[in-house]
Amino acid sequence: MDLDLTEDQETIRAVFAAFFDGETGPARAREAEPTGFDAAAWERLLETGAPGMGVPEADGGGGASLADLAVVAIEAGAQIAPLPLVDHGVAARLLSGLPNRNGSEPTVDEGILAGSTIVGLAIRPALNGSARTVPSGAVAHRVVALDGDRLVIDGPLAEVPGAGAGHLANHGCLPLAHRDLSDATVLATGPEAVAAHARAVDEWRTLTAATLVGMAREALVLGVEYVQEREQFGRPVGSFQAVQHLLADLPGLIDGAHLLASKAAWAGDRATDGTTGVLDVDANDVTNFSALAAMALIAAGEAATLATDRSLHVHGGYGFSEEYDIQLYYRRARALTYLLDDPARECRRLAGMILEPAC
Amino acid sequence: MDFSLGDRAEAFRNEVRTFLGGHLTADVVERMHATGTFNDKDFNAGLAEAGLLAGAVPGYGDRDPIELYVLFNELEKAGAPYDGLAVTMLVAGVIHAVGTDFHRAEVLERLLTGRYNCCLGYSEPDHGSDLAGIATRAVRDGDEWVIDGQKMWTTMAHEADWVILLTRTNPDVPKHKGLTMFLVPMDHPGIEVRPVPTMATERTNATFYDGVRVGDRWRLGEVDGGWSVMGVALAFERGVMGGTNPAVPLLRHVRQWAAEAMSPDGGRMLDDPLLRERLARTAMANQVSQLLTLRAAWIAATGGLPGLEGSMAKLYATERYQQAVGWFQQMAAAEGLLSFGVDGSAAGGWIDYDGRHSPVTTIYGGTTEINRNNVAERHLGLPRSR
Ligand SMILES: Cc1cc2nc3c(=O)[nH]c(=O)nc-3n(C[C@H](O)[C@H](O)[C@H](O)COP(=O)(O)OP(=O)(O)OC[C@H]3O[C@@H](n4cnc5c(N)ncnc54)[C@H](O)[C@@H]3O)c2cc1C
């Protein structure tokens, strides 16, 4: 048992907290709307090695664990960084995990490791050769998708859709686009392909949960700061108990989601090392990666939607105005929570893992 | 981070599970609900004999707070009678922290046998959340103190050998500064215990103190230093000693029921998509509650004081428990209303039980509002609202 970050992770956390604070943040996120991509910040991020950081060293990457990536994702979320870091990181790991296909193009190439070639991941299965609302689809040169039982990769595109008409205007100003897979290259087929995609989507759940935790944490900070400054009836609105109690539920909710996302990442790393974990909800013993990844996204989605909702509410009318930052967090929290699926359906999918299957 | 318990705590957990497998019989569970006394001296003594109890005293012996958490978490998840034990061990921890050699020899040693119990005499009829306002008086008379007053909600007093009693010794100073704590033997003349039945299966008591004379050696902590003793006791209570995983047995009972019960729409209840969603949400919330509790234990294990983290765990766990109880009670409909031992009751009556029990969990041990005040003021740094 050890609930502290390792020394290395403390360093990673500090470095990336400083990076996202300096190079991204609400003002930059605002400028990056509506596409949701800050090309200049991405250029700077390449210098840190972050894009290839999660790829094993044997494949030329940084060898970082899922737990390390979660630490980075939280800090990116706190600054609502308009960067496809989670999608690219997960897709690159997926590619490097595939068996080398003799003669065909290398699965992870230099461009992907460096981040000059951006890869996205279609988290939902493709339909009739088309991947819909792909999270980084508007900025990715290539997208990995599961089409039936075939794992495919499209591109590389010379020009990404974001530069043209492909971007889908959306609630969270995320770089969403549909991608046509008709010319895509097949990477793997059959159960192996399906399993590789499922594992990648579990990693995406885990890191997206971490991103949402960062957003929720910062949204709470914005709310607390505002209610201390704003005065009505001759005193700070933060001195009213009704306002305090809206905010006081949030730290436990956010910290709980943080712990769960960290536990999911830990379980994911153990699964990579061959430990399957247990799944016994009768005794509340859960160390299985897929179950924890599902739980983490559900919990973080709840924490982030509630934290942004309450924080916006205690801003009064200003919270609704374009000018204040809380609305940026509010919209992105919902977008990331609902992008994969209705959380209720995610719960039912989780139920399929922890209960007997439905008849 | 490493979320595995570690070899030591895991071995300890297995010992506790083995013990529960042998000692937590249907009789023990039935007796606790029939009598309303969530305390079983034979069961406790069994724990002591198995060498598991010394680990239950916060700060005492060679077990760390992770193992303390493990013990109470296993007892809670299994639905064992542990309320009385948690209070007794809490008092043992307070004695260990601030007591005298006399208290250790006379009380602590006995508590570790499992055959003796303590109860908490803080709340009064007119003072609950505002504990520092209590009115029970203790007046010095030579080497003795004379105690007069009334306590309310003195749970387990009818079984207890000692009560830790918060009294007012100086009415002329600000309210927090005139309090003194005593450890009073329950067999002293002048103490009366009257039962207070509740809407659930558990009972509690009102206790009356009429000219009770105790020697000064029964004082716990400094004269007028009672509030700091309270601080030690509350820090233990709002942490790792059970109370933050009540929805684990709930989930188990509902899951088992739903696998058998038929839905009015046809098919099994377990195939109902809404029930499946809610069972999964409950499983998720149970993990979060466990992690928040473990964090409190981890902070204690690494030398910190997890008061606020304990408040967060209690807030989250109890609100989620009540929400889940509401869902399952509604979905079990008429059968969910039926009590223990009744023909046709859903989950053998557990849904009725949880429906009755759950309201108290956001009241006792510090209400939800008091915990929110703590988090708002001491964690978020917002101005005092009172
Ligand atoms: C079954 C049971 C067992 C118990 N066991 C014990 C025991 O063993 N020993 C013991 O000493 N006590 C025990 N208690 C007492 C328990 O700790 C108190 O009930 C609790 O602290 C609340 O006090 P109260 O009941 O006087 O409610 P009150 O303090 O009167 O509160 C009434 C309502 O007002 C709210 N409120 C009060 N102050 C504030 C504020 N500042 N801001 C916002 N809202 C506020 C409360 O949250 C609550 O909702 C037990 C209680 C029960 C029901």
Side-chain angles (χ1 to χ4, degrees):
Chain A
M1 168 74 42
D2 184 352
L3 297 187
D4 291 333
L5 295 179
T6 63
E7 236 171 83
D8 281 354
Q9 287 172 338
E10 272 302 348
T11 308
I12 292 173
R13 201 200 61 74
V15 165
F16 281 96
F19 177 86
F20 293 120
D21 186 44
E23 301 292 334
T24 65
R28 297 288 289 270
R30 204 183 282 278
E31 285 167 23
E33 291 196 341
T35 324
F37 181 57
D38 184 334
W42 184 254
E43 281 302 314
R44 296 298 312 275
L45 189 69
L46 303 196
E47 295 162 20
T48 69
M53 154 180 185
V55 171
E57 279 167 354
D59 290 328
S65 65
L66 193 57
D68 298 336
L69 299 183
V71 170
V72 178
I74 291 174
E75 301 309 324
Q79 299 300 331
I80 45 172
L83 301 171
L85 184 56
V86 165
D87 300 323
H88 180 86
V90 169
R93 280 164 68 89
L94 166 59
L95 292 173
S96 80
L98 294 174
N100 260 333
R101 301 166 62 79
N102 41 349
S104 73
E105 56 180 320
T107 41
V108 214
D109 60 28
E110 285 300 322
I112 292 173
L113 285 174
S116 52
T117 303
I118 298 175
V119 215
L121 177 71
I123 49 179
R124 301 193 295 164
L127 219 57
N128 304 327
S130 163
R132 312 287 290 175
T133 61
V134 176
S136 294
V139 296
H141 302 96
R142 315 199 66 174
V143 163
V144 183
L146 186 69
D147 191 357
D149 70 346
R150 300 178 318 146
L151 191 70
V152 301
I153 188 165
D154 75 357
L157 305 184
E159 206 180 336
V160 298
H167 176 251
L168 308 166
N170 67 87
H171 192 84
C173 291
L174 301 184
L176 303 182
H178 306 313
R179 299 279 287 227
D180 175 13
L181 302 174
S182 45
D183 295 330
T185 313
V186 177
L187 295 167
T189 54
E192 177 205 328
V194 174
H197 185 259
R199 158 84 199 193
V201 178
D202 280 341
E203 292 196 354
W204 187 88
R205 285 187 177 92
T206 304
L207 297 180
T208 300
T211 309
L212 285 163
V213 164
M215 279 185 196
R217 187 185 80 193
E218 190 61 21
L220 175 59
V221 169
L222 292 177
V224 168
E225 282 174 0
Y226 186 82
V227 301
Q228 281 171 319
E229 282 163 21
R230 173 74 175 175
E231 295 200 357
Q232 288 294 288
F233 301 97
R235 53 185 176 129
V237 293
S239 67
F240 298 118
Q241 197 181 46
V243 170
Q244 293 187 353
H245 283 195
L246 283 179
L247 300 175
D249 287 333
L250 301 176
L253 204 63
I254 297 167
D255 291 358
H258 185 171
L259 286 159
L260 198 49
S262 304
K263 186 176 177 183
W266 165 82
D269 289 329
R270 289 216 318 171
T272 306
D273 298 339
T275 310
T276 330
V278 297
L279 188 38
D280 176 359
V281 292
D282 278 0
N284 201 15
D285 279 343
V286 183
T287 50
N288 172 281
F289 175 46
S290 282
L292 286 168
M295 289 180 177
L297 183 59
I298 296 163
E302 280 183 7
T305 48
L306 193 72
T308 50
D309 179 56
R310 298 229 169 136
S311 181
L312 187 148
H313 181 78
V314 301
H315 277 72
Y318 294 103
F320 187 63
S321 74
E322 210 282 320
E323 181 191 346
Y324 279 74
D325 291 340
I326 186 61
Q327 58 92 7
L328 300 170
Y329 286 81
Y330 184 96
R331 290 183 291 111
R332 281 160 184 76
R334 276 150 191 77
L336 281 189
T337 300
Y338 303 135
L339 198 51
L340 177 63
D341 205 348
D342 172 4
R345 210 179 347 263
E346 277 282 295
C347 283
R348 293 199 290 274
R349 204 182 58 84
L350 173 62
M353 294 184 236
I354 64 177
L355 306 172
E356 301 167 42
C359 293
Chain B
M1 293 193 197
D2 178 0
F3 289 87
S4 58
L5 275 178
D7 293 343
R8 220 179 101 120
E10 194 123 6
F12 178 68
R13 185 181 68 176
N14 292 340
E15 280 180 57
V16 175
R17 286 185 175 175
T18 305
F19 176 86
L20 288 171
H23 290 74
L24 185 64
T25 58
D27 267 4
V28 169
V29 176
E30 206 175 297
R31 193 159 61 237
M32 94 190 233
H33 290 289
T35 59
T37 302
F38 288 20
N39 185 52
D40 189 310
K41 289 192 180 179
D42 288 337
F43 181 84
N44 297 347
L47 276 170
E49 279 153 25
L52 301 171
L53 209 51
V57 179
Y60 177 88
D62 62 348
R63 299 212 184 275
D64 69 16
I66 304 292
E67 288 161 288
L68 178 68
Y69 149 81
V70 165
L71 176 67
F72 282 99
N73 192 243
E74 291 301 319
L75 292 173
E76 179 174 23
K77 289 189 307 194
Y82 76 91
D83 293 20
L85 187 68
V87 167
T88 295
M89 293 301 121
L90 173 89
V91 174
V94 175
I95 292 174
H96 177 66
V98 303
T100 62
D101 287 345
F102 169 72
H103 299 143
R104 284 191 193 96
E106 196 69 17
V107 185
L108 181 55
E109 291 303 322
R110 291 204 169 95
L111 297 183
L112 293 177
T113 67
R115 294 260 163 225
Y116 296 83
N117 276 101
C118 292
C119 59
L120 306 177
Y122 312 149
S123 306
E124 297 186 356
D126 295 333
H127 303 276
S129 298
D130 184 13
L131 261 190
I134 53 111
T136 293
R137 286 298 309 273
V139 177
R140 194 156 200 154
D141 182 19
D143 197 33
E144 286 188 331
W145 295 83
V146 182
I147 300 177
D148 283 281
Q150 183 191 339
K151 293 290 173 179
M152 188 60 187
W153 318 111
T154 329
T155 309
M156 236 58 80
H158 61 293
E159 291 247 310
D161 303 282
W162 298 273
V163 55
I164 65 165
L165 200 65
L166 188 65
T167 65
R168 181 156 310 283
T169 37
N170 187 349
D172 302 323
V173 291
K175 60 184 181 179
H176 294 87
K177 296 190 171 151
L179 301 168
T180 303
M181 193 75 92
F182 291 92
L183 189 61
V184 181
M186 288 297 287
D187 60 3
H188 271 33
I191 301 181
E192 193 196 334
V193 178
R194 289 188 207 154
V196 175
T198 71
M199 64 183 273
T201 55
E202 64 239 62
R203 74 166 268 190
T204 177
N205 308 283
T207 50
F208 299 82
Y209 306 83
D210 183 10
V212 177
R213 301 188 81 87
V214 290
D216 188 53
R217 61 186 184 162
W218 290 109
R219 176 165 48 78
L220 203 49
E222 301 298 315
V223 174
D224 293 342
W227 197 247
S228 68
V229 182
M230 274 302 300
V232 175
L234 289 179
F236 290 147
E237 185 172 346
R238 297 212 182 116
V240 295
M241 302 184 69
T244 54
N245 250 171
V248 175
L250 173 71
L251 176 66
R252 188 169 64 237
H253 292 138
V254 173
R255 188 189 65 69
Q256 287 164 353
W257 161 74
E260 305 285 322
M262 296 304 287
S263 157
D265 303 330
R268 294 181 311 168
M269 278 306 295
L270 196 59
D271 299 329
D272 183 302
L274 183 58
L275 184 67
R276 293 178 75 79
E277 177 195 333
R278 288 171 167 179
L279 287 168
R281 271 193 207 281
T282 306
M284 178 277 286
N286 284 345
Q287 276 291 298
V288 172
S289 300
Q290 180 190 66
L291 287 167
L292 287 169
T293 311
L294 256 179
R295 177 177 64 162
W298 169 252
I299 290 171
T302 49
L305 261 187
L308 281 167
E309 288 78 8
S311 284
M312 289 181 208
K314 185 181 186 269
L315 270 174
Y316 180 91
T318 55
E319 301 261 308
R320 287 297 175 126
Y321 169 54
Q322 291 183 350
Q323 182 184 45
V325 171
W327 287 336
F328 299 137
Q329 198 173 30
Q330 183 185 337
M331 296 192 82
E335 281 72 21
L337 305 174
L338 304 182
S339 303
F340 285 135
V342 172
D343 175 28
S345 57
W350 282 105
I351 295 180
D352 165 51
Y353 165 76
D354 280 296
R356 289 166 180 268
H357 170 70
S358 58
V360 79
T361 58
T362 48
I363 297 169
Y364 64 12
T367 71
T368 287
E369 288 69 33
I370 297 303
N371 279 306
R372 285 187 180 134
N373 288 346
N374 286 342
V375 173
E377 286 162 21
R378 287 159 46 211
H379 182 75
L380 298 178
L382 294 172
R384 248 181 115 75
S385 64
R386 284 154 295 160

